[in-house]
Amino acid sequence: MVRKTLAGGFVAAAGLVALQSPAFAGGLERGGYNIDLLFDPGKVAAEAAATYVIPERKLKNVQDVDTTSGAFPFNGTAAGNGGGNLNGLSTSADGSEGYWVPRIGIKAGIDNADCMFDYSEPWGAHKKPGRDWAGANEDIETKVESRNYALTCSYRFDAGPGQLRIIGGGFYQEVFGFQERLVQDFTGVPPAFGGLQSGVGRLDLEGDGWGWRAGLAYEIPEYAFRASLVYNSEVKLNDITGTLDLSQVNGTAPFDVYGSQSMPDVVELKVQSGIAPDWLAFGSVKWTDWSQLQKVRFFCKDPAAFAGCALPGGVTALDLGYRDGWTISGGIGHKFNEQWSGAASITWDRGTSQGYGTNTDTWTLGLGAAYTPNENVEFRLAGVIGVVTGGESGPVTLGGEAYGTRARYDFGDDLVTAISTSVKVRF
């Protein structure tokens, strides 16, 4: 009877793990990849989930360290393009914005085969410190969004006391966004007419690509045991297209730009097991290859569109300078009765910033509850509270490239909170 009790508590309590994970991870991570629905024991199951994250990153002691102007605005490699001296502006700013993370999926199983289709938004970022801070030459607003459409299937067969599951699938991914920052130019503007011109430059971009996943899982349902190892490939955005708008700066009409970049590959190990009647322990380790996102350079489609198009390093670049990310999580779940179960977890995420940017280490605590009024419907609610550790951002050289050359600032330990909810229906 112990085996049956463990398995009964597994379905609801273990499902809370996915709700507690999203918070304020490094790099451009939002919801990441999640295939937990594939393991649902029902023949057909559909799930919808949403998470709202509130990071409270505050920038302080901001200093403009590039007070020059130059003939090639908006380019991070040209000397003298700092937007002028901004040190008279505010020395503090908000370094983050709240965001939603949605996810929907449907899974169907026939005999020992299961397939799942899901929509998610794995990557993203949103910063909006505004125009009136001393680092406006680094950022006024940056927003990155993504859409991911995936089909994942598995086949399981008996192996020892449990079942071995082979997992494979593919996904199509779209990434898009923009960046605005203050730039300045004196090209063609005589001193008698004011000399320097400054204004907001804007880069818009979009790209798409395909990826694949493969993995293995071993399950012993009667003990509520499951171990899975899944690899998600990189997504090559070989044809990122966009526009660069410098019309506020020198009257140049917006012109087309292009670039390329790969979104990271991800490896994740998850283990869950019943440890006593109605009790479950779980943990995970995830590695994300954020180090391949350094400088994302953009080049002019028409070399004659603008004088800066002749620069060998591109007309502009998104500076990221990330290192690889690691996320480690562990917790316990408990089934209180046939309708209610709960779970608690603690997660550490290694920051991806290396002296430039604000993606430092994060520690979070998650608490969640699941209500199952009957065997066909399940409601979940979870909350997360945590700390994003402090640090500083400024000029640094990574791999021979300069980053953070426009502004210097620091930040203390900041609070991050999130709330997640989902509903699952089985047929």
Side-chain angles (χ1 to χ4, degrees), residues 12-13 16 19-20 334 336 339-344 367-372 378-383 420-422:
L16 287 166
L19 280 180
Q20 298 178 63
H334 180 58
F336 299 103
Q339 284 78 43
W340 289 96
S341 59
L367 298 172
Y371 174 61
T372 309
E378 183 178 315
F379 300 96
R380 302 174 189 162
L381 180 67
S420 299
T421 184
S422 80

Side-chain angles (χ1 to χ4, degrees), residues 247-319:
S247 58
Q248 289 190 25
V249 184
N250 55 19
T252 301
F255 53 92
D256 294 334
V257 295
Y258 69 93
S260 64
Q261 176 61 53
S262 292
M263 301 308 293
D265 43 350
V266 180
V267 179
E268 186 166 21
L269 172 67
K270 291 184 177 182
V271 179
Q272 305 175 141
S273 179
I275 55 176
D278 297 327
W279 288 92
L280 180 83
F282 54 86
S284 65
V285 178
K286 180 172 68 175
W287 168 81
T288 307
D289 186 19
W290 286 117
S291 61
Q292 62 178 289
L293 278 79
Q294 298 298 312
K295 280 186 181 286
V296 186
R297 301 183 185 277
F298 291 89
F299 302 85
C300 302
K301 285 193 173 182
D302 179 4
F306 173 63
C309 294
L311 291 170
V315 67
T316 190
L318 291 178
D319 287 356

Side-chain angles (χ1 to χ4, degrees), residues 42-369:
K43 289 294 183 182
V44 178
E47 183 179 36
T51 301
Y52 187 68
V53 183
I54 309 172
E56 298 184 8
R57 180 60 93 194
K58 303 295 182 183
L59 310 181
K60 56 187 180 181
N61 301 320
V62 183
Q63 178 186 0
D64 179 5
V65 297
D66 185 358
T67 59
T68 60
S69 62
F72 301 125
F74 220 82
N75 185 282
T77 61
N81 46 62
N85 191 337
L86 307 180
N87 284 317
L89 300 179
S90 175
T91 59
S92 63
D94 290 333
S96 59
E97 294 287 309
Y99 55 87
W100 284 97
V101 183
R103 178 171 50 86
I104 58 174
I106 185 167
K107 170 258 181 183
I110 301 176
D111 296 327
N112 287 346
D114 298 279
C115 282
M116 177 189 74
F117 172 81
D118 72 289
Y119 167 82
S120 63
E121 297 179 3
W123 320 125
H126 192 194
K127 299 183 295 178
K128 192 178 180 181
R131 168 65 178 80
D132 298 323
W133 71 301
N137 58 353
E138 180 177 287
D139 191 20
I140 291 177
E141 182 174 9
T142 299
K143 191 172 187 178
V144 177
E145 299 178 90
S146 64
R147 303 187 187 104
N148 195 76
Y149 308 88
L151 177 64
T152 307
C153 294
S154 70
Y155 182 80
R156 62 188 189 277
F157 53 89
D158 293 339
Q163 291 187 318
L164 182 65
R165 186 188 294 252
I166 300 174
I167 302 168
F171 44 91
Y172 169 70
Q173 195 167 110
E174 300 172 321
V175 180
F176 53 97
F178 68 89
Q179 183 184 61
E180 293 182 345
R181 67 179 185 86
L182 186 67
V183 293
Q184 190 171 44
D185 184 34
F186 60 76
T187 305
V189 184
F193 293 94
L196 303 176
Q197 289 186 173
S198 63
V200 176
R202 179 182 173 103
L203 171 69
D204 287 272
L205 58 90
E206 61 181 6
D208 56 19
W210 294 84
W212 56 273
R213 63 170 51 106
L216 294 172
Y218 189 72
E219 303 162 276
I220 308 177
E222 59 186 350
Y223 290 110
F225 174 85
R226 182 173 79 226
S228 64
L229 179 65
V230 177
Y231 170 79
N232 298 276
S233 77
E234 67 180 11
V235 177
K236 295 182 179 180
L237 309 177
N238 290 325
D239 188 22
I240 303 176
T241 59
T243 59
L244 183 57
D245 185 352
L246 299 174
S247 58
Q248 289 190 25
V249 184
N250 55 19
T252 301
F255 53 92
D256 294 334
V257 295
Y258 69 93
S260 64
Q261 176 61 53
S262 292
M263 301 308 293
D265 43 350
V266 180
V267 179
E268 186 166 21
L269 172 67
K270 291 184 177 182
V271 179
Q272 305 175 141
S273 179
I275 55 176
D278 297 327
W279 288 92
L280 180 83
F282 54 86
S284 65
V285 178
K286 180 172 68 175
W287 168 81
T288 307
D289 186 19
W290 286 117
S291 61
Q292 62 178 289
L293 278 79
Q294 298 298 312
K295 280 186 181 286
V296 186
R297 301 183 185 277
F298 291 89
F299 302 85
C300 302
K301 285 193 173 182
D302 179 4
F306 173 63
C309 294
L311 291 170
V315 67
T316 190
L318 291 178
D319 287 356
L320 299 173
Y322 293 150
R323 65 176 178 175
D324 289 348
W326 286 92
T327 306
I328 300 174
S329 181
I332 57 172
H334 180 58
K335 178 183 177 183
F336 299 103
N337 52 48
E338 294 301 319
Q339 284 78 43
W340 289 96
S341 59
S345 68
I346 187 169
T347 300
W348 169 74
D349 182 87
R350 188 180 82 157
T352 55
S353 295
Q354 303 183 85
Y356 166 68
T358 61
N359 286 327
T360 53
D361 289 11
T362 303
W363 291 88
T364 55
L365 173 66
L367 298 172

